[in-house]
Amino acid sequence: ARLVNDRLDLYNIAQTGVPSFYPVNLFVKNARGETMGGLLGHVWGGWMHVKVLWLDESLRRQDWGTKLMDQAEAYARERGCHSVELDTHSFQARPFYEARGYEVFGQLDGYPGEHKKFFLKKKL
């Protein structure tokens, strides 16, 4: 998997001339050091891509998602990003992202079954 990713990265750099790639890995840990949530993504080409935002059920509705997104967006700005993109399903967090200023620019129906997958973006 690493070889395939590395080769694609080299190709992308050669085609765009944009070599800077920064991982975004933020975590929420409890007093015992256990990971209770986090945000994973990366910064490249002026965009931050949020791949995963997850919080343990015990931390939901306590602003941890907002704190993680605020930190990630601040980091993206520091790295010169102009926008953020992510995806979510109809059974996940679309209203959360829309309340933060994200807008839907695409959707897949039947992903899976009766559910939908939404693609969202936000200008920073």
Side-chain angles (χ1 to χ4, degrees):
R2 175 104 181 157
L3 174 72
V4 173
N5 280 321
D6 288 348
R7 295 298 165 98
L8 180 59
D9 289 345
L10 290 173
Y11 177 81
N12 291 345
I13 290 167
Q15 296 302 307
T16 64
V18 179
S20 56
F21 177 93
Y22 304 97
V24 179
N25 299 308
L26 303 170
F27 302 98
V28 177
K29 298 192 180 238
N30 66 15
R32 293 185 299 273
E34 299 167 322
T35 300
M36 302 298 289
L39 183 149
L40 307 176
H42 66 264
V43 165
W44 181 71
W47 287 79
M48 178 174 68
H49 168 68
V50 176
K51 183 176 180 178
V52 176
L53 174 59
W54 169 79
L55 291 166
D56 184 79
E57 190 68 37
S58 66
L59 295 183
R60 293 184 188 163
R61 297 182 189 16
Q62 297 179 35
D63 289 331
W64 286 106
T66 297
K67 291 174 189 174
L68 287 170
M69 289 298 293
D70 285 349
Q71 287 179 4
E73 289 175 6
Y75 179 74
R77 283 186 191 92
E78 289 170 16
R79 293 291 181 190
C81 290
H82 54 76
S83 302
V84 180
E85 57 94 7
L86 54 84
D87 60 73
T88 191
H89 286 88
S90 53
F91 54 87
Q92 292 177 327
R94 179 180 170 185
F96 168 76
Y97 295 120
E98 288 178 324
R100 295 189 54 79
Y102 287 78
E103 62 182 49
V104 173
F105 68 89
Q107 95 180 32
L108 293 173
D109 296 332
Y111 199 101
E114 297 297 316
H115 299 288
K116 298 175 182 183
K117 184 173 188 174
F118 298 101
F119 300 89
L120 296 95
K121 65 182 178 177
K122 175 183 176 179
K123 279 211 157 295
L124 294 176

